[in-house]
Amino acid sequence: FGFIHESIRQLMIRTYGEAFWAKVLERAGFEAGKENIINHYYSDQDTYTLVDAVSVILKVTREQVWEMYGCFLIQYTMETGWDDLIRSMSPNLKGFLDNLDSLHYFIDHVVYKANLRGPSFRCEDNPDGTITLHYYTGRPGLYPIVKGVLREAAKRVFKLDVSMSITGRTQRSVQMATGERIEEHVIFLIKTQNTDQSNEDALGTAVVQHSNNYKIRLTHMDFVSTFPYHMVVDQDCKIVQVGRELYNHIPKDLLAVGTPLMRIFEVTRPQIPLDFDSICNFINAVFVLQVKTTPMEFQRNATKRAGQASDNFDNNLDDNNQTVATLTQSQHLKLKGQMMLMTSGGHIMYLCSPYVTSIPELLQYGLRLTAMPLHDATRDLILLNQQRLSDVEMNLQLEANNEQLENMAKDLEIEKGKTDALLKEMLPPSVAQQLKQGLSVDAREYEEATVMFTDVPTFQQIVPLCQPKDIVHLLNELFTKFDRLIGIQRAYKVETVGDSYMSVGGIPDNVEDHCEVICHLALGMVMEARTVCDPITNTPLHIRAGIHSGPVVAGVVGAKMPRYCLFGDTVNTASRMESHSPIGRIHCSENAKKCAESTGRFEFEPRGKVQIKGKGEMNTYFLLRSFKRSIWEIIDRRRDENCNSIDGYNELRDGYVDDVINKITQKNSKTCSIS
């Protein structure tokens, strides 16, 4: 049960610390926070796994861990609101032990409604005043807990120091309605030590002598009226006497003297065979018996046995229906009470009441409060427990809500992470962080940065001849490759418009080698674009690029869908470099060339003076190669040694479209001579 796991957790944390408990959970395979839900039922194996993990890490035996836990269990139970109840159970240790079964029953069935298989305790007084304790359990191996619990309870509640020794331990197989199970029986000898009191006075085993010898005599009618729900059985567990109220719930024929008890009832607690010896072993336990045969089934069987003539069957059925109607409500009636061994030693009396703890249960069995004698505490229990059940139900609901909130918080954190990741993709991380903190992002001027535009020159010829989804697929494949290169080269992707891809170096973080970064990025983009297939010609796709360096103003524009935008003449010039570039080439301004050579080592090919729209004539250059890095390093792909050059720039140049055209022109030209 969750309370057990929580108390184990508290013991380990208080004794060894949080880090130790984290190691225990890791070894036991539990997720932190899921191992100690108070009202959750855990399997026995889960609990054994936790204890075994503690045992291995501490390098002690499992029995030592259980005994240590037993000592702490009393302390923790008293800390969590059970102190007054435990202290009020009995004035001495023997009475405490005799009432442990009823305490277990109250916790299991009334507080938590758990229906757990609790142990049973039975005491015997020895001539020297010591106590022989019989401990019965369906979970073998847990007896060290009993030693720890009783020693600590004796100290805290009764101010006693006791010694406990095991004088016997046996196991037997018990056949139950639910199947076979192993029952362990451990016998303890309990003595006091370090006290001036005798065992009789300290443990409560002294016999109290009564001077009043008056004998009260009750008639049979007085007795069955005073205890309307009692039963007396003999050594064969056959009915000898029953209370009068039972006749209102169980057919008279079943309550006849000599009827075996097990024919009428099945025992639901404790889980033992319904025979005389087993009852004596668990004599201190709270017994819950349930009617086995329903009144309706009994009436039908009685009708068949009677063998009545068919012409009288209908009349008798009407009479039977009236009886059945009054008895049907009491189907599977449960009785709860105490088994008492009579002084003769040959009979057992079962003093009991209907097992009802709330108004709905009372009505379910067709009962009213008047069915309970005034001296029966069940009346008060029903009324008081209504409020108790409401409180427990509310606590369960709150715990379920807390768990649901925790799951929702985790889901929210995951979604928040996705949102943050998306925001960082749309904006630079530093800018995104400012916006998350609610700060304004002012426009900033950069003295020098490098801007690059790339596009697909044949895009306008491709669009009319392809389906829209093919166009989307083409751009997605191309831009995904470009995005990968952006991450490798540590540049920043500004935006895409149609087939145009804009990137920048040196923004938002100032770096000296911003132009070198963009030049490497451009070489990689040209090479990677050729791995994309042109859907019209089924040939490698070719792009062109334009690069310019200069001052730039950058800032966030918009509130609903904020974008990080660049402004200034540098942006316009870079765009002109792209639009005036031949297919497959990287077209650079003179400023970009100088800036790239200030930190990197590149090969540029002069293009000469070019008439640039809106700018006039400008000296421009084609970027051919980097002497620092090979193409394969730039695109972060392995080179095929069988067919690729070492640096990859031969493959890059072979793909230049203008070079191919020039080769074709030279091949077809003829030399003329004039004589």
Side-chain angles (χ1 to χ4, degrees):
F1 202 58
F3 180 84
I4 302 297
H5 282 205
E6 172 60 15
S7 52
I8 294 175
R9 172 180 169 273
Q10 289 291 333
L11 168 62
M12 297 304 152
I13 289 177
R14 296 184 192 185
T15 308
Y16 304 105
E18 293 275 2
F20 176 83
W21 183 244
K23 291 180 182 178
V24 171
L25 293 183
E26 182 180 358
R27 183 174 184 86
F30 274 97
E31 179 183 351
K34 298 294 185 182
E35 84 286 0
N36 62 328
I37 302 174
I38 296 296
N39 291 308
H40 180 72
Y41 179 79
Y42 295 92
S43 68
D44 289 352
Q45 189 56 48
D46 288 342
T47 309
Y48 295 150
T49 302
L50 274 179
V51 172
D52 287 343
V54 173
S55 173
V56 170
I57 297 174
L58 287 180
K59 297 180 180 179
V60 298
T61 64
R62 181 193 289 184
E63 287 74 17
Q64 288 174 299
V65 176
W66 281 128
E67 186 167 350
M68 176 172 57
Y69 168 69
C71 293
F72 179 77
L73 180 60
I74 282 292
Q75 173 189 340
Y76 183 69
T77 302
M78 296 177 76
E79 288 176 358
T80 53
W82 297 89
D83 182 79
D84 291 340
L85 177 60
I86 291 175
R87 293 184 185 279
S88 64
M89 284 178 60
S90 173
N92 52 61
L93 183 61
K94 182 177 182 298
F96 177 82
L97 295 174
D98 285 337
N99 283 276
L100 274 180
D101 285 13
S102 61
L103 178 63
H104 275 125
Y105 178 84
F106 176 73
I107 294 173
D108 292 349
H109 287 67
V110 178
V111 178
Y112 293 117
K113 290 284 186 180
N115 196 26
L116 302 178
R117 293 184 291 110
S120 182
F121 300 87
R122 178 169 60 87
C123 292
E124 290 181 0
D125 298 341
N126 297 324
D128 59 354
T130 58
I131 296 176
T132 297
L133 174 64
H134 296 268
Y135 164 68
Y136 301 89
T137 180
R139 295 181 174 90
L142 300 187
Y143 63 89
I145 299 179
V146 178
K147 296 173 69 175
V149 166
L150 294 190
R151 284 174 179 165
E152 192 66 19
K155 287 180 183 178
R156 288 179 173 270
V157 181
F158 305 107
K159 311 299 181 186
L160 290 176
D161 189 7
V162 299
S163 66
M164 296 182 63
S165 58
I166 297 176
T167 60
R169 183 185 175 198
T170 59
Q171 293 182 358
R172 65 167 183 162
S173 176
V174 179
Q175 190 66 38
M176 304 296 300
T178 56
E180 189 177 26
R181 76 167 189 182
I182 301 298
E183 180 183 279
E184 184 172 66
H185 176 204
V186 183
I187 304 174
F188 297 95
L189 179 63
I190 304 175
K191 299 179 181 179
T192 59
Q193 55 187 15
N194 302 326
T195 179
D196 295 332
Q197 291 181 292
S198 64
N199 283 318
E200 290 88 344
D201 294 334
L203 299 178
T205 57
V207 178
V208 179
Q209 299 294 331
H210 298 280
S211 59
N212 190 345
N213 294 323
Y214 178 75
K215 294 182 180 180
I216 187 171
R217 298 186 180 276
L218 293 177
T219 65
H220 177 268
M221 186 56 66
D222 290 336
F223 197 90
V224 298
S225 299
T226 304
F227 304 103
Y229 291 99
H230 81 281
M231 285 183 287
V232 179
V233 296
D234 58 19
Q235 286 185 321
D236 296 326
C237 275
K238 293 182 178 180
I239 295 291
V240 174
Q241 177 177 296
V242 297
R244 67 177 186 180
E245 282 293 328
L246 291 177
Y247 290 100
N248 294 330
H249 306 282
I250 302 172
K252 184 177 180 180
D253 290 1
L254 282 179
L255 295 177
V257 174
T259 302
L261 190 63
M262 63 183 301
R263 181 184 170 191
I264 311 171
F265 298 99
E266 57 184 1
V267 60
T268 61
R269 182 179 175 89
Q271 296 181 6
I272 60 172
L274 198 55
D275 58 63
F276 195 87
D277 291 338
S278 296
I279 292 174
C280 289
N281 287 339
F282 285 76
I283 199 69
N284 288 326
V286 175
F287 277 77
V288 178
L289 303 184
Q290 184 174 14
V291 175
K292 184 181 292 187
T293 305
T294 66
M296 182 177 291
E297 292 168 341
F298 182 84
Q299 290 293 332
R300 288 174 180 171
N301 293 335
T303 302
K304 290 180 181 179
R305 289 195 302 269
Q308 295 177 341
S310 60
D311 56 336
N312 295 328
F313 180 80
D314 292 337
N315 295 331
N316 291 336
L317 186 60
D318 292 337
D319 295 334
N320 288 339
N321 284 340
Q322 294 178 358
T323 304
V324 170
T326 59
L327 293 174
T328 299
Q329 289 180 310
S330 60
Q331 289 187 31
H332 302 289
L333 175 68
K334 286 185 178 180
L335 299 173
K336 182 192 75 172
Q338 176 185 7
M339 294 288 185
M340 300 180 65
L341 184 63
M342 309 299 287
T343 53
S344 63
H347 292 82
I348 291 177
M349 178 185 293
Y350 181 41
L351 287 177
C352 57
S353 300
Y355 182 26
V356 289
T357 57
S358 63
I359 299 297
E361 289 182 6
L362 188 75
L363 299 177
Q364 175 187 345
Y365 293 123
L367 296 170
R368 297 296 184 270
L369 285 175
T370 54
M372 313 293 177
L374 292 176
H375 63 77
D376 194 334
T378 306
R379 279 172 168 258
D380 297 329
L381 176 64
I382 292 172
L383 297 175
L384 294 175
N385 201 43
Q386 277 296 114
Q387 182 61 41
R388 176 71 178 180
L389 290 175
S390 299
D391 294 341
V392 171
E393 189 66 30
M394 184 176 295
N395 289 336
L396 291 173
Q397 187 63 44
L398 286 173
E399 190 167 287
N401 291 342
N402 287 340
E403 185 175 0
Q404 185 178 4
L405 286 174
E406 287 178 4
N407 293 333
M408 291 174 64
K410 289 181 181 178
D411 294 340
L412 182 62
E413 195 64 30
I414 293 173
E415 294 302 320
K416 183 175 178 292
K418 293 178 181 178
T419 303
D420 292 346
L422 182 61
L423 185 61
K424 289 178 181 178
E425 291 293 330
M426 296 174 60
L427 301 170
S430 58
V431 175
Q433 188 64 28
Q434 286 180 273
L435 291 177
K436 282 172 56 182
Q437 294 173 354
L439 304 175
S440 61
V441 181
D442 298 329
R444 180 180 172 185
E445 184 175 354
Y446 294 84
E447 292 183 2
E448 191 174 53
T450 301
V451 179
M452 178 175 68
F453 285 90
T454 62
D455 74 347
V456 181
T458 58
F459 187 70
Q460 297 304 322
Q461 288 77 41
I462 293 174
V463 170
L465 301 177
C466 289
Q467 294 292 328
K469 64 179 182 179
D470 295 329
I471 300 297
V472 173
H473 176 74
L474 171 69
L475 293 178
N476 181 63
E477 184 181 4
L478 179 65
F479 290 165
T480 299
K481 294 177 182 292
F482 288 178
D483 291 345
R484 188 181 71 88
L485 293 176
I486 287 282
I488 294 173
Q489 304 302 331
R490 294 177 292 107
Y492 177 69
K493 174 184 176 181
V494 181
E495 63 178 352
T496 60
V497 179
D499 64 316
S500 180
Y501 191 102
M502 180 183 180
S503 54
V504 65
I507 294 177
D509 300 320
N510 267 320
V511 290
E512 292 183 1
D513 61 345
H514 52 84
C515 192
E516 181 183 351
V517 167
I518 292 299
C519 287
H520 283 142
L521 178 63
L523 291 168
M525 285 182 169
V526 171
M527 193 68 177
E528 281 287 83
R530 295 177 187 174
T531 62
V532 180
C533 182
D534 186 321
I536 303 302
T537 62
N538 287 324
T539 58
L541 191 68
H542 292 279
I543 65 168
R544 61 185 177 181
I547 302 174
H548 180 63
S549 298
V552 175
V553 174
V556 177
V557 176
K560 187 173 183 180
M561 289 187 64
R563 302 298 301 173
Y564 192 68
C565 299
L566 308 183
F567 302 95
D569 186 63
T570 299
V571 177
N572 296 331
T573 304
S575 178
R576 294 286 183 249
M577 290 294 104
E578 175 219 42
S579 61
H580 289 76
S581 173
I583 298 176
R585 289 296 195 128
I586 303 169
H587 194 202
C588 302
S589 67
E590 190 168 12
N591 282 0
K593 174 181 177 295
K594 291 179 180 179
C595 188
E597 290 177 335
S598 67
T599 60
R601 295 171 52 235
F602 295 93
E603 180 184 352
F604 288 93
E605 178 185 344
R607 188 181 185 187
K609 291 186 179 293
V610 178
Q611 187 70 30
I612 303 297
K613 182 179 179 181
K615 297 292 180 182
E617 287 188 344
M618 293 180 64
N619 281 323
T620 61
Y621 301 84
F622 292 130
L623 174 62
L624 299 182
R625 70 168 64 218
S626 168
F627 292 110
K628 276 188 175 181
R629 303 172 67 185
S630 70
I631 283 292
W632 316 119
E633 291 174 314
I634 291 172
I635 64 177
D636 193 26
R637 296 192 187 278
R638 295 187 62 181
R639 175 177 70 92
D640 188 345
E641 297 179 357
N642 297 322
C643 60
N644 294 140
S645 63
I646 293 177
D647 59 9
Y649 289 109
N650 289 338
E651 288 84 347
L652 187 69
R653 185 173 182 82
D654 289 343
Y656 289 162
V657 175
D658 55 344
D659 282 1
V660 173
I661 294 173
N662 291 336
K663 289 177 182 177
I664 294 173
T665 303
Q666 292 174 6
K667 183 178 180 181
N668 293 333
S669 65
K670 297 181 179 179
T671 303
C672 299
S673 59
I674 301 175
S675 56

